[in-house]
Every structure is written in C-alpha cells, then in structure tokens.
Amino acid sequence: MKAGPRNSITDISALRVGHAQDDALKSGATVLTADAPFIASVHIMGGAPGTREIALLDPDKSVEGVDALVLSGGSAFGLDAASGVVSGLRAQGRGFAVGDMRVPIVPAAIIFDLLNGGQKDWGDNPYAALGRAALDAAGEDVAEGSVGAGTGATTATHKGGLGTASVVLDDGVTVAALVVANPIGTVVTPAGKFWAAQSEFGEEFGGLGGDAASYGATRLPLKTDAGEGANTTIAIVATDAKLTKAQAKRMAVAAHDGMARAIVPSHTLMDGDLVFAVSAGDKQGDPLMVGHAAATCLARAIARAVFMATPADGDVLPCFRAL
C-alpha cells in the first residue's frame, strides 16, 4: 500500500472538501461533495449520536445517491449547517428530482464542542452560514488540524482536530478517510505516542513508534466534562471502487476498527461515534480489501487530526506539537 498523491480524501478524483470556521466561536463545518450524486451509507457505534437524514442511508431505502455530507461542530445547533448546504445546492440546481422540483439530499453529523472556550453567546444560529460557506469553498486541497468542523475539537488530553489520509491499493483502487476527532478518550498514549502508530505511513504523524505497554495502564484519562453526548468522533471513508449501498454499509462497519485502533476508549456511551461510507467511482475492487484499507486510513486520519492541530487564544487544552 502507498498513500495517494495528496494523502487526502480528494485523492478520489470525484470528491471535493470545503471548510468554514469562526475562530471566536471555536467551531465550524466541513462539507464533502461532488459534481454528481454518490452512493453513501452509515454505521453508528457510539451511544450518543447527533444526526440528520441518516435513515435514508440504510440499504433498503429508496434514495441511492446523496449530494453532500456535512460534518459540523455545535452539537444540535450544528445540524443547521446542513440547511446552509441544502440552500447552496438548490441554488446550483442540484438535488433529487420530484416533479419539477429538486431536493438536495444532505446527511449530516455533529460533534459537541460547546465547552471549548469559544464565544457561544450568539443570537441567530451561525451554523447555516458556516455550512453554506464550506460548500462554496469546496475543492481538492484539504487543510487539516484546527479547521472546519475540527476547529474546536478536543480529546481527553490534547486539542483535537480534523484529519485525512488515503491509500492506493495494488489493484489501483483508492480508499481514504476524513475525520473530526473529538473523543471522550485519548488519541495519544500515556507515554506520548499515538495509539495508531502501527498504521502510520512514513512519519505522517511524527514517526513516534508504538507503546504497547500503555495498554496496561490502570486508568486512562477521560474528559472531565464527559456527559452523555459531550464528545464524538465523526468520519467519512470513501473509495473510487464501485460499491452497492449494502457494500458501502459494510465498509462503514469495517472502518470502525480504525477508530478503535486510534482512540482509547472508543465507541462509549458518552460518544456519538459514526462513520459515513462513500462510493464515488466505477473501478472494480475487492470489498474485503476496501474495508480493511478504510480502517487503516481512518486510524491514520485520527492521529493526523491531533498531530496537525494548532493553538489559538482561549484554548482549554494544549496542542500535541506544542508540548
């Protein structure tokens, strides 16, 4: 395996990503879109998810393609980011045709970042505007760290963030991940390594090696504000292999293995851990290898999210690279 040219989810040529954030708010939104609808499904393993338009992603539902996926901060307020994206897509003439109307299909998921030191005393909900701005900014280059939906993300010990990673398989199929890491648990071991070190390509998150002894820690740190729904890691895994909706669902299920490799603990009652899966291409690939690669990419992207985070005024936690 090798990383794609950008080591990014946009190594899948059909896909584009846009970010928008408000640094005073310490929050933002990220949009994944394409020029044409794409197959998508989802699998949720966390106990406290926050979502919009999720049921239609089940394989037995009638809508095959979606126009965009939204990852946002803001907890329930952040679900309004999808409304801004819907408005923007409607202006572009995009959406599911119903008679002479078109209805954009935009599933969304959110993280809780309301206690991260940002200014949260807004009057009107700011997230619709952030979603629209993220859609308008969509392109091939994907910034990482403290950007978009990852602007205000945190972990138990460090500032969280947004990360991406890709891999090109031997058969030419590309698989990639985009993630906002905001868990109740840790991405970094007690010895200052990354739990995901076994999945690292080169030195993409510091080349710090493994730390198996940390698995024997009697108690791992957790967020002190870890109420139900106060955390969550949300991700998108994607491929240019041609998958059915049911195969995309299995890809999402497999990708959760990568979350478990990179975050300790993961999939808790307090997290809303969720993975969208996307098929945006027509290459012939092995669904088993695609699922394995999705898990590997997601573990790497989670570590990169924390590794690439940058400090800002009012942060409640340090950045990994600032220590």
Side-chain angles (χ1 to χ4, degrees), residues 18-121:
H19 301 311
Q21 63 268 344
D22 182 324
D23 292 332
L25 184 67
K26 285 190 181 293
S27 191
T30 294
V31 174
L32 178 84
T33 190
D35 289 335
F38 48 87
I39 295 291
S41 192
V42 68
H43 188 59
I44 302 170
M45 289 188 68
T51 61
R52 168 174 165 157
E53 297 272 37
I54 292 296
L56 59 80
L57 298 180
D58 285 341
D60 64 330
K61 299 303 185 289
S62 61
V63 174
E64 280 292 309
V66 306
D67 298 292
L69 295 172
V70 176
L71 308 179
S72 180
S75 189
F77 303 105
L79 291 173
D80 207 32
S83 297
V85 176
V86 168
S87 295
L89 289 168
R90 182 177 186 274
Q92 297 174 17
R94 296 282 304 278
F96 183 74
V98 184
D100 60 355
M101 293 294 294
R102 287 194 172 271
V103 182
I105 306 299
V106 184
I110 47 86
I111 66 165
F112 183 96
D113 59 1
L114 300 180
L115 302 176
N116 63 4
Q119 297 174 9
K120 305 300 194 292
D121 56 346

Side-chain angles (χ1 to χ4, degrees), residues 23 26 144-147 150-153 159-162 304-313 315 317-322:
D23 292 332
K26 285 190 181 293
E144 296 177 86
S146 304
V147 295
T151 299
K159 196 170 179 179
L162 180 142
R304 283 190 61 80
V306 172
F307 183 71
M308 297 297 289
T310 53
D313 291 343
D315 284 350
L317 285 168
C319 293
F320 176 82
R321 289 188 293 174

Side-chain angles (χ1 to χ4, degrees), residues 229-245:
N231 311 284
T232 292
T233 296
I234 49 178
I236 303 169
V237 293
T239 183
D240 57 8
K242 185 176 182 179
L243 302 180
T244 66
K245 208 172 176 185

